[in-house]
Amino acid sequence: MIEVDGLRKRFKQVRAIDGVSFSARDGAITGLLGHNGAGKSTSLRILYGLLTADSGSALVDGINVMNEPQKAQENIGVMTDAHGLYPRLTAREHIEYFAQLRKLDKSIIDKRTELLIEQLAMEEIADRRAEGYSQGEKMKVCLARSLIHNPQNIIMDEPTNGLDVMTTRSVRTILQTLKDQNKCILLSSHIMQEISALCDEVIVISEGKVLMQGSLDALLTSTGESDLEEAFMSITRASR
Amino acid sequence: MSIWLVITRKELLDAIRDRRALMALLLFPVIGPFVIYFMFNTIVDIAEEAKDLTLPIVGAEYAPDLVDFLEQSGIKLTPIVNEYETSSEARNSKPYIYPARLLADIREKIENRTYDFVLLIPPDFSIRLGESKTVNLELFHESSRATAQAKMGRVQQTISAWHQETASLRLMARGISPTIARPVSIEKIDVASPQARAQRILGMIPFFIIVAAFVCGMGIAVDATAGERERKSLEPLLVNPIQRTSIVVGKWMAAATFSGLGLLLVMVLNLLALNQVPLEQLGLSFSISATEIIGIVMITLPLAFFATALQLFVGIFAKSFKDAQAYLSVISMLPMAPLFFNIFNTVDRELWMSLVPMLGQHMLLADVVAGKNPPLFDFAVAAVSVVLFSLVFIYGATLVFKRERIIFS
């Protein structure tokens, strides 16, 4: 469960987000939809404790990220925008490194690693070094290492960016599985099809402000449009 | 397992697979001992050659006395035949002057290194000698040829010994004591011979050791700072609930491990090189005891931590490998400072020097290599100072690491 209230963040003269409030519930996939530079990444980075908000609050399972960032991080699995793999480490080593950083027991690490490798169909690359991985393979490693501690909350910044159809589909399947396990999934995207295919809830964000939050149907009904793209356009246009 | 240890292990694994980092660790330490080995052997060769000396000579037939004297002094003579003047009649006609072509020939042979020098005896040698006049001997040489200096010196010494002897004989023939014409006699006692040069080379060892501390850990230091930023792997790393201090310390320990290994490798190889050099031929003895080796290790090992702490602190400001390499190559010049200080200041080591990182180590090492035994207190001061400086850099790196700007750009 993620609750964000009145987040503000300024970088020198640029106001990145200006009072962002939204929530993402357990057992649902929530999508943060907005243009490039709308404030999606900034909001997420505050949520997973890498940026400090100027004001406002962010709660992860009731833990205030500002006060106890590390405790909050324990309950979050994060897939960042940049993959940032180490070219000389294998997929398995990447996953184990993050597991050890999270102080998991050896037996749990082994079990979870095997499970994730199987779930993400990574057998082939598990013991190959990361240099030369395809986008999809890199994505899988990132996903696996962010899920190694079996977090209740999963935050993903542009998860399907640059993936081919096959990999996109397998990501969708994994997200559905996680949703069925009653996890709270929050992802950002600027791709309408992605959001409409995946998300139960949509948050429309533009110029650092949340314009609307609701289910896909609610969004369509309130704008009177037939697809998300039109609805999004009409919402952002109305705000100007 | 502690978090920093997890990070150290990962960085080391990464570095062992990185050919660049591994090359720096394994290649650099070989260079210093190799240079030292090579230089020592050259000095020994020069010293040996001066003992075994051949002197090319023109006109040996005009000065049988001098030739005898030179040969008795152990100098082998190689007569150069005057092939431009074949008739012996012409050669014995008076006054005879050597053909210009012969002189040009000698110059050329010195220039193309056939000879290092040539002694030219004038055809009127015996006549002028008989008339008690001064004879002009000509010694052709090339002053920039350092390797020939020792031999030249010996030739000149031998000739001036003959000169002294002849002068004394002339005076005695006139019933005058030779001492009248020699109010002062200088006996040169040469202490700055090959031994001194060897000492100067031994003085380079501290420099190679200190540079190794900087070079061998640099690969990891760059990869762990600028490398993480360039790969954009910092953000995924920092979403894990860990202290920034653990990350910096973990990376530091990994870099320091490589740096320390490099140091030890340089020391071991230097000792091996010194063992291989025929030092006794220079009248030098280099023996090092186990306690001295432990002393050297204790002096230098803290430098591994110092060098890598400094590199991490600077590397963290760099956004890419390229930037980092540029910044850090400037830092790698730092070990030269104590070397120059030592060259231009011939002062003895003082306690305050121990407080200055690298200078302290350099001076202490120089003392140990020269066979002096610095007090234990000075070692401790140097070690504590270096460790304190390292901790300041690591603290600084941690502060920088907490900046949002560093993570995302």
Side-chain angles (χ1 to χ4, degrees), chain A residues 104-116:
Chain A
L104 302 182
D105 285 338
K106 176 95 172 69
S107 59
I108 295 176
I109 295 177
D110 291 346
K111 216 162 63 190
R112 293 270 313 156
T113 307
E114 283 313 316
L115 185 73
L116 284 164

Side-chain angles (χ1 to χ4, degrees), chain A residues 181-212:
Chain A
Q181 290 166 10
N182 201 35
K183 306 279 186 193
C184 167
I185 301 150
L186 174 63
L187 58 88
S188 77
S189 183
H190 62 272
I191 307 164
M192 307 293 161
Q193 300 99 299
E194 233 8 88
I195 298 277
S196 50
L198 269 172
C199 298
D200 307 299
E201 281 282 302
V202 180
I203 302 155
V204 178
I205 184 168
S206 179
E207 290 168 6
K209 287 190 171 80
V210 171
L211 299 182
M212 197 173 276

Side-chain angles (χ1 to χ4, degrees), chain A residues 87-99:
Chain A
R88 293 179 291 272
L89 296 190
T90 66
R92 194 187 298 278
E93 284 160 352
H94 275 95
I95 301 168
E96 284 172 354
Y97 179 41
F98 272 41

